[in-house]
Amino acid sequence: MQTPKPTNWQTALAEAFTSITELCTFLQLDPAQLQPASLHDNHFPLRVPLSFAQCMQKGNPHDPLLRQVLPVVDESVSYPGYTLDPVGDLQAAATVGVIHKYHARALLITTGGCAVHCRYCFRRNFPYAELQLSKSQQQTALAYLAQHTELSEVILSGGDPLLLHDGRLAELIAQINALPHIQRIRIHSRIPVVLPERITPELLQVLGASTQKIIVVLHANHAQELSPAVMQATQALAQQGILLLNQAVLLRQVNDNSEALCALSEQLLRCGVLPYYLHQLDKAVGTGHFEVPLATALALHAEMQALLPGFLVPKLVHEQAGAAHKLWLS
Ligand SMILES: *Cc1c(COP(=O)(O)O)cnc(C)c1O
Ligand code: SF4
């Protein structure tokens, strides 16, 4: 049976796949081929919007998008050096919902939720919902931003900030716009990629109304994620004067070859998006099966440099707890 077309983004979100069996049926796959993890007691369950599942290749158990979201038994293998908070975010919280690790920019955890659950995510082990801003805490966070006049950039992160409804987002942007030392607002979101329905005319109006420059940093790891619907969403964002960048994570058996990485850069450009970062995996418990060895990462990055114009080569970086910036690996 064909899934009916959702009417708006909230419906689409509510109807996201949460059952491995249903996702497998949709993809014409036998769950037995996939070694899925048991979902009992899983605090980070399967979550995949239909629009993202539609970008997967039916009948392919090795689909690079499926691998990013399917809980598998490999997640319970323990790897040396993998910890619960590899990037040190929990210690870096300046006040509830604010992470101020780097010079002149602070990150707001606007919500703990995401539209999709990426299995490699370093946030998978956090009680992130507890760090997110309630409405009253938002005032405390804004007071922090107001006091710290050395800040010039506020990063809305999460979870995914575009899960906030339009009214909440409009209010937050207006409050940041009122801070004269803030030059720009950066939004880190995977939603334009996994739930392009969210990029509504109302949202575009909210973003377009900001008096401070808006930068949206998307998160796509594979060219196949950038469907015509995603391209429409990114073009609509660009029409609001928003600068669009992408961060990707280098992931074993997803994008760990130069063809996939170059195709991603080329497809991003077609969407009006420039590659920004290619992250070496954060070593969070449950993600070891995604690791690409550093020597391989460096070799792939060198191949990209040889094959692409400079503006299509992302910076290969790694997050190091306690460091003053992300480390550029090459
Ligand atoms: C990645 C990150 C930033 C932004 O760093 P840029 O190098 O400017 O992209 C800011 N704060 C935190 C906590 C981060 O993890
Ligand atoms: S959308 Fe981003 S924060 Fe959310 S699970 Fe995926 S990688 Fe993690």
Side-chain angles (χ1 to χ4, degrees), residues 89 99 101-102 105 107 155 186 276-277 319 326:
D89 268 6
I99 300 180
K101 280 209 300 207
Y102 298 149
R105 50 224 196 273
L107 185 149
I155 302 172
R186 202 197 308 182
Y276 177 39
Y277 279 152
E319 185 92 35
K326 297 191 206 300

Side-chain angles (χ1 to χ4, degrees), residues 50 65 121 123 132 210 220 272 297 316:
L50 177 62
L65 279 53
C121 183
R123 299 189 171 106
Q132 73 179 300
S210 174
L316 179 66

Side-chain angles (χ1 to χ4, degrees), residues 62-228:
H62 306 296
D63 182 88
L65 279 53
L66 178 62
R67 182 166 160 81
Q68 294 178 51
V69 297
L70 183 78
V72 290
V73 290
D74 276 348
E75 292 181 13
S76 45
V77 177
S78 64
Y79 290 81
Y82 281 68
T83 61
L84 290 175
D85 182 19
V87 304
D89 268 6
L90 292 177
Q91 297 98 299
T95 179
V96 183
V98 181
I99 300 180
H100 185 183
K101 280 209 300 207
Y102 298 149
H103 178 73
R105 50 224 196 273
L107 185 149
L108 287 192
I109 298 167
T110 54
T111 165
C114 290
V116 66
H117 284 172
C118 313
R119 307 317 300 175
Y120 52 84
C121 183
F122 71 90
R123 299 189 171 106
R124 56 175 295 146
N125 305 307
F126 285 13
Y128 240 80
E130 291 162 26
L131 280 185
Q132 73 179 300
L133 294 176
S134 70
K135 243 185 146 173
S136 65
Q137 287 163 341
Q138 187 170 310
Q139 296 317 311
T140 317
L142 280 156
Y144 181 91
L145 301 179
Q147 269 159 20
H148 287 259
T149 52
E150 78 277 18
L151 292 171
S152 58
E153 179 169 340
V154 177
I155 302 172
L156 306 185
S157 183
D160 199 310
L162 294 185
L163 274 193
L164 296 182
H165 58 73
D166 295 338
R168 207 44 218 289
L169 210 51
E171 181 190 64
L172 185 57
I173 290 174
Q175 285 171 326
I176 298 169
N177 281 174
L179 304 174
H181 53 286
I182 302 299
Q183 303 295 309
R184 42 184 188 273
I185 301 176
R186 202 197 308 182
I187 300 177
H188 280 185
S189 175
R190 188 144 160 73
I191 280 185
V193 176
V194 299
L195 192 74
E197 297 93 325
R198 174 68 186 99
I199 312 307
T200 59
E202 294 76 25
L203 176 67
L204 292 165
Q205 203 171 15
V206 167
L207 299 176
S210 174
T211 55
Q212 291 149 340
K213 175 79 182 168
I214 301 240
I215 302 165
V216 171
V217 182
L218 306 175
H219 174 179
N221 300 313
H222 195 282
Q224 214 177 298
E225 296 170 40
L226 302 168
S227 65

